[in-house]
Amino acid sequence: MSDSTSAAPVVLDVWCDLECPDCHLALTDVHALRARYDGRLEVRLRHFPLDKHKHAYAAAQAAEEAAVQGQGWPYVEALLGRTDGLGRDGEPVLLDVARELGLDAEEFDTALIDGRHLLIVDADQAEGKAIGVTGTPTYVIGDERLDGGKSQEGLRERIEEIADRLLAGRG
């Protein structure tokens, strides 16, 4: 899921588990990066549900349904704000967030039952494993992978350094 409709010159993939508290903390960096690069950096959510979070796989599917309904990033951000509730209350939280954003909650429920977004989530997870993602959040920009699961400290600055270098090389 991407937050840009135009072809951005630099892509930042954010490998995320939507039940992960560290991914919620990473939103601050994502917001700052969007503001700084104003469309020159395409931020793409890549799904990497972790086994330790029992609702993360369903949450990833729900995020894809939100994207189909035109509210991908707002849904992801709202859901990441509720990682505790999702962990405690489970899948009803996915539908509650959909309703709050004015999305078709019945269609969400149907999508979770029929598994129409399974291939996207599975493909993201397989690609993540293939490139060495082991935890979330993990960022990939250019050819560099940065692991934010251990600490967010200094990651935004490192991403900015890489983005600036890549943008300078394309301009």
Side-chain angles (χ1 to χ4, degrees):
M1 178 175 43
S2 169
D3 70 350
S4 174
T5 55
S6 64
V10 174
V11 173
L12 172 65
D13 284 332
V14 181
W15 297 87
C16 184
D17 171 319
L18 296 175
E19 196 177 336
C20 171
D22 290 332
C23 289
H24 175 243
L25 295 174
L27 279 178
T28 302
D29 287 341
V30 169
H31 290 153
L33 290 164
R34 283 183 183 145
R36 175 175 176 169
Y37 292 100
D38 191 29
R40 296 177 299 141
L41 180 72
E42 179 182 0
V43 179
R44 296 189 310 194
L45 177 76
R46 305 300 301 273
H47 299 292
F48 202 79
L50 301 170
D51 291 339
K52 68 181 178 179
H53 295 133
K54 63 182 177 177
H55 305 293
Y57 194 79
Q61 294 174 71
E64 287 300 320
E65 180 59 30
V68 167
Q69 293 188 32
Q71 294 287 327
W73 275 103
Y75 184 86
V76 164
E77 292 187 17
L79 195 54
L80 283 171
R82 294 184 170 178
T83 55
D84 288 342
L86 180 59
R88 181 183 60 249
D89 301 327
E91 292 184 22
V93 172
L94 304 175
L95 302 178
D96 290 344
V97 172
R99 283 186 203 93
E100 290 167 14
L101 292 173
L103 299 172
D104 184 343
E106 284 185 34
E107 196 62 29
F108 266 75
D109 196 34
T110 302
L112 291 171
I113 292 167
D114 71 19
R116 67 183 74 159
H117 304 296
L118 288 172
L119 290 176
I120 294 169
V121 176
D122 287 346
D124 273 4
Q125 194 165 41
E127 184 179 339
K129 286 178 181 177
I131 64 168
V133 175
T134 58
T136 60
T138 296
Y139 306 90
V140 176
I141 182 168
D143 292 333
E144 297 193 47
R145 186 182 75 235
L146 306 167
D147 179 11
K150 294 182 180 75
S151 170
Q152 297 289 309
E153 188 74 31
L155 278 180
R156 181 178 8 162
E157 293 79 11
R158 184 70 187 119
I159 292 167
E160 289 172 349
E161 289 171 11
I162 297 166
D164 290 344
R165 185 183 74 235
L166 292 171
L167 286 166
R170 294 180 184 194

